[in-house]
Amino acid sequence: MRIPRFPDPAATGTVTIRVTPAEAYRIIGDPPVMIGFAEEVHRARWLGGAKAAAVGARFRGYNRNGLRRWVTNCRVTDADPGRRFAYEVAAPLKIPISRWQYDIEPTAEGCAVTETNWLRVPLWFIPFAMLITGVFDRIGTNDANISTTLHRQNSHRETGRPKRAAPLHWAT
């Protein structure tokens, strides 16, 4: 299997949400809130005095897969309210892991949110990443997690709360 390298996306998905782009961004652009919709990350906190998304702001993600736990450090690269939120992820020792990007486009029903992931991990680190996370198919896992995250956001807007359930899949 070929592992896509930056700049080729590894996983992507889109969902239409019945809110304005500004309302979608308020959740997407706030990692401590966004984790309520995510699969692997279970906690996030701003670092260095940051309290909101801004280019250069940093946050830490606390991740889990079964009994495995790991921490990532993230730096916001794009913070354009109502349009795009993106950040780069690094493992401890500043080893690049990935880039996550959320693009928001207005639609007649509200907005379309597209979540995209690029792998940035050096090839030599992949075996360590598999051991740390317990994930042997990172591309497939990220694709499923994107589907889950986006559908939970949509469910939240319809019911008022995130729905933790089995991932839904759609063609990308």
Side-chain angles (χ1 to χ4, degrees), residues 70-74 89-98 121 125 129 132:
W70 67 98
V71 174
T72 56
N73 296 307
C74 307
V89 179
L93 304 177
K94 299 184 180 181
I95 299 165
I97 300 296
S98 63
V121 63
F125 191 72
I132 292 165

Side-chain angles (χ1 to χ4, degrees), residues 16 23 29-30 34 38 40 43 59 65 67 114 129 142 154:
T16 298
E23 290 171 309
D30 190 349
M34 183 69 170
E40 281 184 337
R43 193 174 68 149
F59 64 94
N65 179 21
L67 296 175
T114 300
N142 285 358
N154 196 26

Side-chain angles (χ1 to χ4, degrees), residues 18 26 37 39 61 66 71 83 118 120 143 145 148 158 172:
R18 292 185 189 113
R26 275 195 286 280
F37 306 98
E39 190 63 20
V71 174
R83 299 195 60 201
W118 291 265
R120 312 253 350 244
D143 193 51
N145 289 349
T148 299
E158 291 176 1
T172 56

Side-chain angles (χ1 to χ4, degrees), residues 11-125:
T12 190
T14 301
V15 69
T16 298
I17 302 175
R18 292 185 189 113
V19 298
T20 67
E23 290 171 309
Y25 184 87
R26 275 195 286 280
I27 290 174
I28 292 165
D30 190 349
V33 171
M34 183 69 170
I35 59 96
F37 306 98
E39 190 63 20
E40 281 184 337
V41 65
H42 67 96
R43 193 174 68 149
R45 68 178 177 88
W46 291 108
L47 299 174
K51 295 191 185 327
V55 173
R58 296 176 305 117
F59 64 94
R60 179 162 293 143
Y62 299 85
N63 307 283
R64 65 179 169 209
N65 179 21
L67 296 175
R68 288 180 160 85
R69 305 284 188 265
W70 67 98
V71 174
T72 56
N73 296 307
C74 307
R75 186 180 57 81
V76 175
T77 60
D78 301 74
D80 187 358
R83 299 195 60 201
R84 176 178 287 164
F85 177 70
Y87 57 93
E88 292 181 352
V89 179
L93 304 177
K94 299 184 180 181
I95 299 165
I97 300 296
S98 63
R99 173 182 169 84
W100 290 90
Q101 181 172 301
Y102 300 84
D103 290 300
I104 306 166
E105 296 287 333
T107 68
E109 298 83 29
C111 64
V113 176
T114 300
E115 183 176 5
T116 306
N117 170 250
W118 291 265
L119 296 178
R120 312 253 350 244
V121 63
L123 293 177
W124 65 266
F125 191 72

